[in-house]
Amino acid sequence: NIPMDAFESQVSTLDWGARNVIVETPLRTVVVSVAVGYELSAFESFISSVRHNFNGDIMLLISHTASSDILKYLGENNIQTQTTELQGGPHGKPEWLRVNQARWTFYADVCDIDSYGHCIIVDFRDVMFQSNPHSMLRKPDAPALFVYQHNLLMNAWHLSEAKKCGLGQFVESLRDNYIINAGCFVATPTTMHHLVAVLSNLPSGCDDQVALNVALYGGLLAANSANVVPFKQGTGLINNMAWDGVFQIDEVGRILNLNCFPSPILHQYDIVKYSGTQRQPFWLDRSGPILI
């Protein structure tokens, strides 16, 4: 008797109609973002950039009151959606915080192990695609989380927030480490679910970026046997440009990683100004909160 898995591997290219069929399904990738509270112009900016470089699945969380123009545009570009009654609001306000905390459940819902090999999580308003991110991803050997640092060490605000929300025991694990951005990362489905479970067990009032850094630098996610792969700013799939980001620009205007190849995904490109070949963030005052 031939075991079923061996049988399927031997009958590899023919079905009963004797025509060639593709047996091995290519690894699928989904791009996931939260687009609550934005006008049509923001959708056009984000989706045109992604669709120019990526023809796979895109899933957005949108407001249940999104306009007919937005819904029409999403349909024309084959964008999948889930809706929420949350409305969002200005950065740092309670409405904004509620959306930021709810997004993790959305990520876990979308990042299904039977559907996808990788889930690319990105912010919405300040993200631009320059090339196909799928081309840099390979079938994972094990569950993994790929995270992307800023070129900036954890500051007093992050340490203070950790203490205020009941995570003071992790302050030393945060200190002298580079900030990992919570808005843009890549996860395999298994690790996404581990991550969401870890974050849901932390105090609910925490800023989610502080919580993510605690989970990673504090070793909480490692306890779930996740393979966490950190990328320094200017390397890997996602380039966090602002807050002391280091990068180059080529002759056609593309932002480059440190290896001189174009960064597939740019984050926070909108708060970096260009002056010749010199680029500096608009906000240089480090005395207050760094809004990432």
Side-chain angles (χ1 to χ4, degrees):
N1 292 333
I2 302 176
M4 181 56 69
D5 57 347
F7 176 79
E8 291 174 345
S9 68
Q10 291 177 32
V11 185
S12 57
T13 60
L14 297 177
D15 67 5
W16 297 116
R19 60 179 171 81
N20 288 333
V21 294
I22 299 173
V23 172
E24 183 177 358
T25 302
L27 180 68
R28 292 178 65 194
T29 300
V30 61
V31 171
V32 186
S33 189
V34 174
V36 176
Y38 291 101
E39 300 296 328
L40 175 61
S41 59
F43 285 87
E44 291 172 336
S45 175
F46 176 82
I47 291 170
S48 63
S49 160
V50 181
R51 272 289 176 243
H52 184 72
N53 295 286
F54 177 74
N55 63 2
D57 290 354
I58 301 173
M59 174 67 80
L60 300 182
L61 182 67
I62 64 172
S63 169
H64 74 294
T65 60
S67 70
S68 58
D69 286 344
I70 289 174
L71 297 179
K72 179 175 181 290
Y73 182 74
L74 295 175
E76 291 171 347
N77 286 277
N78 192 27
I79 309 298
Q80 303 174 55
T81 62
Q82 288 187 21
T83 60
T84 177
E85 294 184 0
L86 297 174
Q87 294 299 313
H91 192 290
K93 298 298 183 181
E95 298 85 357
W96 178 86
L97 290 170
R98 282 194 286 271
V99 171
N100 263 26
Q101 291 169 349
R103 63 182 177 173
W104 297 94
T105 301
F106 167 63
Y107 296 159
D109 287 344
V110 174
C111 201
D112 178 59
I113 195 169
D114 293 325
S115 301
Y116 301 110
H118 291 101
C119 304
I120 301 176
I121 310 300
V122 292
D123 280 345
F124 184 73
R125 176 190 55 80
D126 58 356
V127 164
M128 178 187 298
F129 280 52
Q130 293 192 128
S131 63
N132 186 354
H134 184 78
S135 63
M136 289 186 66
L137 298 173
R138 298 293 181 267
K139 187 171 184 178
D141 296 325
L145 175 68
F146 305 96
V147 294
Y148 300 85
Q149 298 174 339
H150 288 271
N151 190 32
L152 188 67
L153 294 174
M154 211 75 60
N155 65 2
W157 180 82
H158 291 83
L159 305 182
S160 173
E161 285 296 305
K163 292 177 182 177
K164 283 197 303 185
C165 71
L167 297 173
Q169 69 270 35
F170 295 103
V171 164
E172 290 307 312
S173 66
L174 297 179
R175 197 184 305 276
D176 297 327
N177 277 310
Y178 285 94
I179 299 167
I180 291 172
N181 189 272
C184 297
F185 60 93
V186 180
T188 57
T190 299
T191 301
M192 176 66 79
H193 287 264
H194 286 329
L195 176 61
V196 172
V198 167
L199 295 178
S200 67
N201 286 326
L202 296 179
S204 59
C206 285
D207 175 272
D208 68 341
Q209 181 155 273
V210 172
L212 176 66
N213 279 267
V214 164
L216 299 178
Y217 289 127
L220 302 181
L221 189 60
N224 285 279
S225 301
N227 179 26
V228 180
V229 183
F231 286 87
K232 293 185 179 298
Q233 187 271 321
T235 66
L237 190 69
I238 299 167
N239 191 343
N240 293 310
M241 295 174 62
W243 309 117
D244 291 347
V246 178
F247 53 90
Q248 301 180 65
I249 184 169
D250 69 10
E251 66 278 2
V252 295
R254 295 177 301 182
I255 302 300
L256 308 180
N257 274 353
L258 299 180
N259 62 4
C260 296
F261 285 93
S263 308
I265 300 174
L266 305 179
H267 182 216
Q268 298 173 327
Y269 71 92
D270 61 326
I271 58 173
V272 177
K273 63 182 178 181
Y274 302 82
S275 176
T277 58
Q278 300 299 315
R279 292 151 294 278
Q280 295 293 329
F282 280 123
W283 304 325
L284 299 176
D285 180 9
R286 303 289 189 225
S287 61
I290 293 179
L291 306 179
I292 294 174

